[in-house]
Each structure stands twice: as C-alpha cells, then as structure tokens.
Amino acid sequence: MAEKNDFMKSQLVQDFNKEIAKYNLGPLWEAIPDLMHKQPTPQAAAYLWKWETLHAKLMEAREIFTPERGGERRAIYLQNPGLTYRQPWGWASTTHTLYAAVQLILPGETAPSHRHTQSALRFITNGSGAYSIVQGERIFMEEGDFLITPKGLWHGHGHTGDEPMIWMDCLDIPTIYAIGGTFFENYPEKIEQPSLPDNYSAQRYEGGMVRPIADRIPKVAPLGSYKWSQTLAALEGLSRFEPDPYDGYAVEYINPSNGKTANPTIAAWMQKLPKGFHSKAHRHTSSTIYQVFQGSGYSVINGVRFDWSQGDYFVVPNWAWHEHVAAEDAFLFSVSDIPIMERFEVQREEAYEPNQGHQEIVGEFHALVPEKTR
C-alpha cells in the first residue's frame, strides 16, 4: 500500500494528471476516493432553529417585505450551514435534497399564483383564516393541517382572516436543481379564481380513509388538505398499543388513490412521543426535517444533544445516528426524502447496537437567538 501511495504522489503521475487536465480530462485513479465512499458522508449538518429566532425575523420581514411589493412570498428559508452558497446544490438547501422555509401572510394579503416542477407541501403552525388556492380549489388552513401541492399545479395564497398566519413550506428544490429540471411559470392573472367549492377535496374525504369510488383511478392530488383533527384521531388510536421503539407513534400522509406518499418526492409524517418516551437510536440514508408542533424534549444526533420546544425546527442529515426523548407529550411533524431514496433503491436503515441502543452524549448544541429575544 505504501508503495502504491508513493507512486500516486510521484512526479510522473502528477505531471500526467496536469497534462490531461488541459484537455478537460480527469484521472479516476485520483478521484475515486472522493467519488466512491464506503458509506454516506453527508455534507449537511445537524442543526436546530429556535422558534424565537424564526418568529422575530418574520415579524421584522413584515415591516420590510410584502407580497405586493416583492411580487412573491414572504418566506425565510432554513439554510443548512454545512451546505454553503459556494456549492450549487447547497444554496437554499435545508438538507442535500430538500428546502424548508417559514412563511408569513397577513390579513388582506395575496400571494400570486404560480406553478413549477418542484413539488411543495405546507404544514400550518400558527393562526387561521388564510387559504391556499390549488387548481381552482380554495383550501382554508387551520393549525395542524397538512397541505400538498405536487409539481405542475397552479397555487397561490390569500388571507380573509384577522390574524397573522405562519406555516412551514417544504419543496424538493435542491433535487430538481441538481438534475436540471427546473421550470417556473407565473399565473397570467395575479391569483387564480375559484372554480370548485371551498375545501372541496376535504369534504370528499370527511369520512377519513374511505375514498370516493372515482378515486380508484390514481390521481396526482385527490386530497389537498389533511385536517389535524383526523391526524390526531389516528395517533390517539395508535396510542392504545406499544410505540415503535425508534419513532414512537407515527403516521404517514398518503395519497388515498394510490397508497403512495401524498407528495411524489417528499414523505411527511406526524409523530406522537409520549412523556418520558426515549427512542432507540438508528440511522438511515434518508434525511429528515422536523417541526416541533407541540411539546418539548431533546434529540441526540451523532452524540450531540439538541434541546427542542414548541415551534422549533431541526435537521437530521442522512446516515446520522439519532434518537428522541420527550419531556412531555410531544408532536413532531417531519418531512424526508424517503421517496427519492427508494426510487433509486438506496434507502437503508441501521439500528444502533451499543449501550442498549442509546448514544453517549458528547456535546450540546447551542442555538443562535437574537439579543432582543433573550
């Protein structure tokens, strides 16, 4: 091995490498260690954004930016510090495959309709009275609701209520950017007008997971809004039984016409972690973004403790050991790139074996919080 390393560093090899570079050619013998890792080596970092920070900055943005003035959304995205602006795929990336943001809309405001090749979803965290109009259906939003906007569908937002409304956006922007598939189009008029009754799809599914017979034929978005009351009922039903040792009580939002994930490239879950629950650690090739909808606790990610409470967001990168501990009953909404990993047949999961499945804590994460909120 030493003889091989000496040869690779020899002047003969180095001179040849420089020579072929003139012709836009490259030496695989030099590149393969960086191209072919023995296991995933994520560049995305485990990170946590406090609700105090997000809320403070959204309130500042309220005074500076409006949809009318800027022509788009008042949204602040979660930039992963391990994915920098110097990397084309890292800009506006929360994980290496997904983008997440917090969006604020005020009473009387309108965010214009558009469509794009990225799939989008929304999880409603604060307020009521706003709506998203998707393909002619106004979907009024309440806290805990989950909404989908698969790629290619017209969508815009409006607010007929009387209080600020905040939600989480998640899109597969980094993935579509990386494969060169980005297309974007503004609606010809400011915002699409209704062509269906309000909350049409949710009314069709008032019975929960029994579908109208017309939906036996798979559709892209037969159900645009998943109401919190039904999600909570599903979790309470699961809570009568033993929790999953890694994820507690967890349900996945699915497309009722085909049984697949509600959004084609983004999986979305809601988990209930009962007070005192301490999950076992595991890791998987999919990466995950969490929003703490209710409750408090902490997660250990690659040996570092991340304390979280209501409103916080945190990231578990791909192939990172992680486990969760609930200080009180907690509800965690999460999104992941499982469908992407499964599509490429690279989704793997591995249980942490030492110490009865729990990591040793070797550090503690300290979140950045503005001076005014301390």
Side-chain angles (χ1 to χ4, degrees), residues 109-181:
E109 289 185 336
T110 298
S113 293
H114 61 212
R115 63 182 177 184
H116 38 67
T117 46
Q118 296 87 354
S119 289
L121 59 82
R122 269 158 271 288
F123 180 68
I124 314 307
T125 59
N126 301 83
S128 62
Y131 65 86
S132 182
I133 183 163
V134 182
Q135 293 294 106
E137 177 190 355
R138 289 203 307 179
I139 301 171
F140 281 86
M141 301 179 281
E142 300 173 317
E143 292 179 3
D145 288 356
F146 168 71
L147 283 73
I148 64 166
T149 312
K151 63 180 180 180
L153 303 186
W154 292 115
H155 57 284
H157 313 299
H159 198 337
T160 60
D162 55 9
E163 60 178 321
M165 189 123 186
I166 299 172
W167 63 77
M168 171 193 185
D169 288 323
C170 180
L171 294 86
D172 53 1
I173 291 174
T175 300
I176 301 302
Y177 184 93
I179 63 176

Side-chain angles (χ1 to χ4, degrees), residues 46 51 59 63 81 97 130 134 191 197 204 237 262 291 313 329 365 371:
W51 169 243
M59 293 304 105
E63 305 300 327
T97 53
V134 182
I191 189 168
R204 295 179 72 239
Q291 197 276 339
Y313 290 74
D329 284 355
F365 180 83
E371 290 286 346

Side-chain angles (χ1 to χ4, degrees), residues 60-71:
E60 290 178 30
R62 175 182 60 179
E63 305 300 327
I64 299 170
F65 182 90
T66 66
E68 289 75 15
R69 187 181 301 158

Side-chain angles (χ1 to χ4, degrees), residues 153-364:
L153 303 186
W154 292 115
H155 57 284
H157 313 299
H159 198 337
T160 60
D162 55 9
E163 60 178 321
M165 189 123 186
I166 299 172
W167 63 77
M168 171 193 185
D169 288 323
C170 180
L171 294 86
D172 53 1
I173 291 174
T175 300
I176 301 302
Y177 184 93
I179 63 176
T182 297
F183 291 88
F184 179 94
E185 183 181 0
N186 283 312
Y187 193 69
E189 301 172 9
K190 183 174 182 179
I191 189 168
E192 185 184 12
Q193 295 303 305
S195 59
L196 294 167
D198 290 347
N199 301 317
Y200 174 70
S201 62
Q203 292 183 64
R204 295 179 72 239
Y205 278 88
E206 281 187 1
M209 286 311 296
V210 288
R211 66 186 179 196
I213 57 173
D215 289 353
R216 294 188 74 252
I217 301 172
K219 294 178 172 61
V220 173
L223 179 57
S225 172
Y226 298 69
K227 304 301 292 181
W228 169 240
S229 58
Q230 291 182 320
T231 304
L232 180 61
L235 288 168
E236 294 301 332
L238 278 181
S239 298
R240 302 188 189 109
F241 310 102
E242 287 297 312
D244 181 273
Y246 301 100
D247 295 304
Y249 301 107
V251 294
E252 180 177 14
Y253 300 94
I254 64 169
N255 180 328
S257 72
N258 61 20
K260 298 180 180 179
T261 52
N263 258 16
T265 53
I266 310 171
W269 295 9
M270 177 61 76
Q271 293 170 253
K272 178 184 178 182
L273 307 180
K275 181 179 179 180
F277 177 77
H278 188 165
S279 75
K280 291 186 176 182
H282 65 159
R283 63 182 178 181
H284 34 68
T285 45
S286 51
S287 56
T288 310
I289 306 168
Y290 288 90
Q291 197 276 339
V292 184
F293 183 52
Q294 294 178 17
S296 62
Y298 67 89
S299 297
V300 183
I301 308 172
N302 283 342
V304 178
R305 173 170 168 158
F306 290 73
D307 287 277
W308 41 258
S309 56
Q310 184 171 334
D312 295 350
Y313 290 74
F314 64 97
V315 171
V316 176
N318 57 311
W319 210 238
W321 296 113
H322 59 283
E323 59 193 279
H324 308 299
V325 181
E328 57 184 314
D329 284 355
F331 291 89
L332 303 180
F333 174 78
S334 66
V335 292
S336 76
D337 55 6
I338 288 177
I340 297 172
M341 296 301 175
E342 289 180 337
R343 189 74 57 88
F344 285 96
E345 299 182 350
V346 294
Q347 176 68 353
R348 293 189 187 183
E349 185 171 347
E350 184 177 303
Y352 189 80
E353 298 297 344
N355 195 28
Q356 296 184 321
H358 299 301
Q359 304 167 76
E360 178 186 358
I361 298 176
V362 296
E364 185 175 336

Side-chain angles (χ1 to χ4, degrees), residues 33-51:
D34 292 325
L35 293 175
M36 299 292 186
H37 300 154
K38 293 183 178 180
Q39 62 181 25
T41 56
Q43 291 178 296
Y47 198 78
L48 183 144
W49 294 265
K50 294 298 295 179
W51 169 243

Side-chain angles (χ1 to χ4, degrees), residues 51-62 74 76 370:
W51 169 243
E52 300 95 293
T53 303
L54 299 171
H55 185 263
K57 295 308 175 184
L58 279 174
M59 293 304 105
E60 290 178 30
R62 175 182 60 179
R74 187 194 290 106
I76 298 175

